[in-house]
Amino acid sequence: MPTTILLTSFQTWLPDQKSNASDDLLLKLQAENDPFPDQAIFLTFLRQLPVDVFPASDLAIAQIEHLQPDVVICCGMAESRSQLTVEAGATPRYLVAQVYWFIYYIVLQQIFSFQGLSYCLSALLGSKTNFKTHFLKTAVDLEDLVEGLTETEMSYDAGKFVCEGLYYQVLSYLRDYAPTTGCIFVHVPVLTPENISPILTDFRLILSRLAIWVTIQRQNQRIDTTTAA
C-alpha cells in the first residue's frame, strides 16, 4: 500500500519577498519526475497557503479531510536559520503575536471559543504556564527522523506566529479526528544555489523515512488488532 503524504507551503508576507522558501522547496520536489523510485510514495501538494492562521488551517484541514493522508508535512520559511528544522510540537502561544487581532477573533472567527479566549487572556497577562500545558507534540520520533542528516536538526521553537499556529491547529485536528495520521512541521531556510542540493537531499530522506514510519505504524496496528481479537 502506498504512503500518501500531503505537503503544504506558505505565500510570501512582505512586499520585498520574491518567494517563500517553503514553497520554493516544494516546487523543486514537485518538478522531479520520480523522487522515490524504490518506494511507493504518493505526494500531493497544497502550496501557497495564506499567511494567516485560521484561513490557512481551514484550507489544510479541508484537504486532510478530503485526502485522508498518512502523513502531513507543513512547511514554512525561517529566514534566520541556516538548516532545515523539524519542529517537535506547537502551543497556542502564536496568539501572543496576534493579540492586536483580538476583536477580529471574537467577531469574525466561527471557531472562536472560551478556550481560545483563555489563551488570549494568558497572552495579555504574560502567562506562559498555559502555553506549556497545552503543548501538542508530534507522534513522529524526530530523533530517528533526523539522525545522520547533514542539513537538518530538531527544533523546539515553531515560531510563535503563523507557522506555529498552523502546526497547532493541524495537530489538534489530527489528535481529535485522525490520530493515526503523522504530522511534522519543517522550517526551511532561504534557498541559495549553494544549499539547495543538500537541503533537497535531506528533505527527500525525511519523506522516505516517514514512509517507513507509516509502514511500521500499520504493522503495529495489525498486531494490536490481532491481539485484541
Side-chain angles (χ1 to χ4, degrees), residues 25 84 149 195-206:
L25 185 63
L84 293 176
L149 300 183
N195 71 11
I196 180 60
S197 180
I199 283 177
L200 190 55
T201 296
D202 267 20
F203 195 60
R204 287 194 212 96
L205 284 169
I206 288 171

Side-chain angles (χ1 to χ4, degrees), residues 95 112-121 130 134 168 172 175:
L95 290 171
F112 182 80
S113 65
F114 285 109
Q115 185 179 32
L117 175 61
S118 71
Y119 295 154
C120 285
L121 290 177
N130 201 30
H134 290 88
Y168 184 84
S172 179
R175 176 197 61 194

Side-chain angles (χ1 to χ4, degrees), residues 165-178:
L166 174 64
Y167 197 20
Y168 184 84
Q169 293 288 332
V170 172
L171 286 174
S172 179
Y173 170 82
L174 294 177
R175 176 197 61 194
D176 295 339
Y177 299 104

